Each structure stands twice: as C-alpha cells, then as structure tokens.
Amino acid sequence: MNINATLTGELLILVALCIGLVSYVLAKGKTDRPGLAALLGAVLGLIPPLGLIYLGFLLFKQPRHADGNS
C-alpha cells in the first residue's frame, strides 16, 4: 500500500483547522482571547494527540465570570 505524502499533509491541515475551529467555539465563553486559543489549538492540531489533549483542557476549563471576578 502506497502512502501519498500530499494526502497525508492535506489531512493533517484539515485536522488542524477542525481542532482550531472547535477550540475557538469552546474558548468563546471560557477565555478572554478566543482567537489566541484557536491559533494554539490549530498549531497543536498538527500533532493530533496534542490537539485532542488541548480540546480536553478547554472542555473542562471553568467558564469566566462576566463581572470580572475570578
């Protein structure tokens, strides 16, 4: 079975983008900078196990309070 490097690279980029998008959605209510969280998720998504660990971190992170008190 041949492994096509182009297909592998495209799949890694697709996984990274998906993890970045899910990171943004999860981080909207839990961080002050969801864009930065999405970028970090996309970078970690290039190594899928690290991206999934990061998503788990965001999933279980406590939501921020609207009044500014932590």
Side-chain angles (χ1 to χ4, degrees):
M1 179 177 172
N2 294 332
I3 298 175
N4 189 348
T6 304
L7 180 61
T8 303
E10 289 173 352
L11 286 175
L12 277 177
I13 290 173
L14 181 65
V15 168
L17 290 175
C18 288
I19 289 178
L21 179 66
V22 173
S23 296
Y24 179 77
V25 171
L26 285 174
K28 271 199 304 191
K30 297 184 180 196
T31 65
D32 293 330
R33 298 183 177 175
L36 184 63
L39 179 65
L40 182 60
V43 170
L44 289 175
L46 292 173
I47 304 170
L50 292 179
L52 292 176
I53 290 170
Y54 182 67
L55 286 179
F57 168 76
L58 283 178
L59 185 64
F60 292 113
K61 185 175 176 7
Q62 295 293 323
R64 67 171 189 237
H65 297 289
D67 60 359
N69 297 331
S70 313

